[in-house]
Amino acid sequence: MAEQPLAAIILAAGQGTRMKSELHKVLHPVAGLPMLHHLLDSLAAAGAARQVVVVGARREQVEASVASRGVDIAHQAEQLGTAHAALQAKAALAGFYGIAIVCFGDTPFLRPETLARLKDRLLAEDAPRVAVLGFVPDDAKAYGRIIADDAGAISKMVEFKDATEDERAVRLCNSGVTAVRTSDLWPLLERVGNDNAAGEYYLPDIIMLALADGDKAVVVETDPDELIGINSRAELAEAESIWQQRRRAQAMADGASLIAPDTVWFAHDTVLGRDVVIEPNVVFGPGVTIADDVVIHAFSHIEGATIASGCSVGPFARLRPGADMREGAKVGNFVEMKKAVLGPGAKANHLTYLGDATVGANANIGAGTITCNYDGYFKYQTVIGENAFIGSNSALIAPVKIGRDAIVAAGSAVSRDVADGELRLVRGEQLVKPGWADRFHDAMRKKKREGK
């Protein structure tokens, strides 16, 4: 059959009470990205030209989260069941003619390939009216059951609450993810009733209605891990663990070495080159790109940073958003960078803060150096030239420029520009009082003995 455009209806109107949070359930992050956004990305990759999120409580949070994604919002004022929720997307999809996939905002692991298989099954030559994703979990729990033959043709769908003992013994479960042509979806949804144990309008009932009309409905089976739903903090932690395990395996398969894989935590968009070595207890926040031949030493935290080939980071380093390390640069233990460029071959080996700074190639930043970049109102720039040497325990008070090949003596507080090749020494005059400390100690010990 001819290709048809794809739309997605994402149901996210549940109260999410088990999360015990003021944040909408589908906005809780997995690998630093809201679970809803994981699903939206998969749907987009599967070719969904339109996406409608159906929300109830905390609608404004979801609207704000997806504002830049071109996603439509529909509102379910009363939570009357999944069929009722899906029907709320009708107005948003007015004029759209194609296939709609109905899915759930708390299932972040659905893969684009699986969604494409579901769509393709609906377009197969036997022309089923409805296609649904099914799965066989280790524990079927209270999932709805699918009664189908070996070819996947469905004869019955039943919710657990309404199932007989024989039906509950069936292991093929309903994920609720359903593909239907929009020309069929709206009439079917409008016919769904609520004559069931919960008094709700169930989405799976559209399959029974299609069967009653003499049409065919089919199930497409997939991996249960794709259909993990997140309803509590414990399930959120389990989902995070699953995602991280997959990403660690991918990183090593792609040519990175993880010394203690279970202690490394990636973000959803972490990019790693080949021959990267990551030591234990490293955390990546969003927005990190790492080139080839980089070593990330233990206990480092990296977010929003770009690290070029041959760099070394840590241990105990923190790279904040805007950190940019060029080829062969090095930051060592207890170094923090924020919106700063560390030029090729430059190094800050320990105990340094570089904020709103540009450091030239092969410059050396001594221990205890800080760029004083903030006056409580504005951020200012520090520029350090190539081959400059900043002595230990120096404070560079921005805005300030340190010239090429310049030297700042240890312990200096520099508030004016330093010219190329210049030495800048900023220290108070040392005052020497021979014997003063001895006399002080003697006097204090005498007071202590006398109880004064």
Side-chain angles (χ1 to χ4, degrees):
M1 297 181 69
E3 184 70 16
Q4 295 189 36
L6 181 66
I9 300 170
I10 302 102
L11 307 187
Q15 295 291 332
T17 53
R18 289 169 57 194
M19 295 297 285
K20 293 182 171 58
S21 175
E22 292 303 311
L23 181 66
H24 195 291
K25 180 177 75 168
V26 301
L27 300 183
H28 283 266
V30 175
L33 185 72
M35 65 176 87
L36 173 62
H37 290 236
H38 282 275
L39 179 60
L40 293 174
D41 287 343
S42 290
L43 288 162
R50 297 283 304 277
Q51 297 177 336
V52 182
V53 181
V54 181
V55 296
R58 301 188 178 94
R59 169 183 178 175
E60 68 287 348
Q61 292 183 5
V62 177
E63 285 181 319
S65 179
V66 301
S68 63
R69 300 183 66 111
V71 173
D72 293 307
I73 298 292
H75 187 227
Q76 186 187 26
E78 294 182 87
Q79 278 65 64
L80 300 178
T82 50
H84 178 262
L87 190 57
Q88 307 313 302
K90 182 178 180 180
L93 290 177
F96 179 89
Y97 300 99
I99 293 173
I101 291 181
V102 183
C103 49
F104 300 87
D106 61 357
T107 54
F109 294 156
L110 265 175
R111 298 185 305 126
E113 298 84 353
T114 300
L115 294 162
R117 278 201 300 131
L118 186 64
K119 175 187 175 183
D120 291 345
R121 183 64 186 91
L122 196 70
L123 295 174
E125 290 184 2
D126 58 348
R129 195 173 180 192
V130 184
V132 63
L133 276 185
F135 64 107
V136 179
D138 293 334
D139 181 358
K141 300 178 182 177
Y143 292 112
R145 301 302 202 263
I146 301 176
I147 315 300
D149 64 20
D150 292 340
I154 297 172
S155 58
K156 186 176 182 180
M157 301 278 288
V158 59
E159 292 295 324
F160 182 84
K161 295 175 184 177
D162 303 306
T164 66
E165 287 303 315
D166 287 343
E167 289 167 344
R168 290 180 180 183
V170 172
R171 297 189 63 222
L172 183 60
C173 296
N174 175 28
S175 72
V177 180
T178 307
V180 196
R181 295 169 186 82
T182 52
S183 57
D184 291 321
L185 178 61
W186 312 124
L188 287 171
L189 288 173
E190 288 167 348
R191 290 166 57 193
V192 171
N194 66 344
D195 185 14
N196 52 61
E200 293 187 352
Y201 298 87
Y202 289 141
L203 178 64
D205 283 358
I206 67 173
I207 293 172
M208 298 306 298
L209 290 169
L211 294 175
D213 291 343
D215 295 312
K216 186 173 186 177
V218 296
V219 59
V220 175
E221 189 174 334
T222 194
D223 187 335
D225 283 349
E226 285 192 68
L227 300 166
I228 291 171
I230 300 172
N231 297 292
S232 67
R233 304 283 184 156
E235 290 174 351
L236 182 65
E238 181 182 357
E240 182 74 34
S241 178
I242 291 170
W243 191 97
Q244 293 295 339
Q245 288 172 7
R246 293 175 181 172
R247 183 64 182 90
R248 293 163 189 151
Q250 179 189 336
M252 292 184 285
D254 290 343
S257 292
L258 277 58
I259 305 304
D262 287 348
T263 70
V264 176
W265 294 83
F266 292 107
H268 64 98
D269 58 353
T270 305
V271 176
L272 296 178
R274 297 179 65 179
D275 295 312
V276 172
V277 176
I278 304 175
E279 292 185 354
N281 298 296
V282 172
V283 176
F284 295 95
V288 175
T289 298
I290 299 176
D292 298 345
D293 300 304
V294 170
V295 178
I296 309 295
H297 292 286
F299 294 98
S300 294
H301 188 285
I302 304 172
E303 179 179 2
T306 302
I307 303 173
S309 61
C311 289
S312 177
V313 178
F316 295 98
R318 185 182 182 198
L319 304 187
R320 292 167 56 194
D324 182 356
M325 295 179 63
R326 304 292 169 85
E327 291 78 3
K330 179 179 179 181
V331 296
N333 51 288
F334 303 105
V335 173
E336 180 178 355
M337 288 179 64
K338 188 274 296 183
K339 291 182 69 175
V341 176
L342 194 61
K347 55 187 178 181
N349 281 326
H350 32 221
L351 303 164
T352 293
Y353 172 68
L354 297 173
D356 299 282
T358 300
V359 180
N362 300 309
N364 184 85
I365 311 299
T369 297
I370 60 172
T371 55
C372 309
N373 58 318
Y374 186 47
D375 64 2
Y377 296 92
F378 301 102
K379 301 290 180 73
Y380 302 97
Q381 292 289 316
T382 298
V383 178
I384 300 171
E386 295 181 4
N387 300 303
F389 183 93
I390 310 300
S392 298
N393 201 35
S394 292
L396 307 180
I397 305 169
V400 68
K401 294 182 179 180
I402 311 299
R404 174 182 50 80
D405 294 310
I407 296 176
V408 172
S412 294
V414 179
S415 58
R416 294 182 295 177
D417 291 353
V418 179
D420 293 349
E422 183 176 281
L423 168 67
R424 180 65 56 87
L425 173 63
V426 187
R427 298 176 186 159
E429 182 181 354
Q430 294 190 33
L431 178 64
V432 179
K433 294 186 176 183
W436 186 94
D438 289 336
R439 292 191 297 273
F440 172 78
H441 291 313
D442 289 343
M444 298 309 291
R445 291 184 187 114
K446 181 179 178 181
K447 285 185 177 181
K448 190 170 184 179
R449 287 195 301 269
E450 295 173 352
K452 295 182 179 179

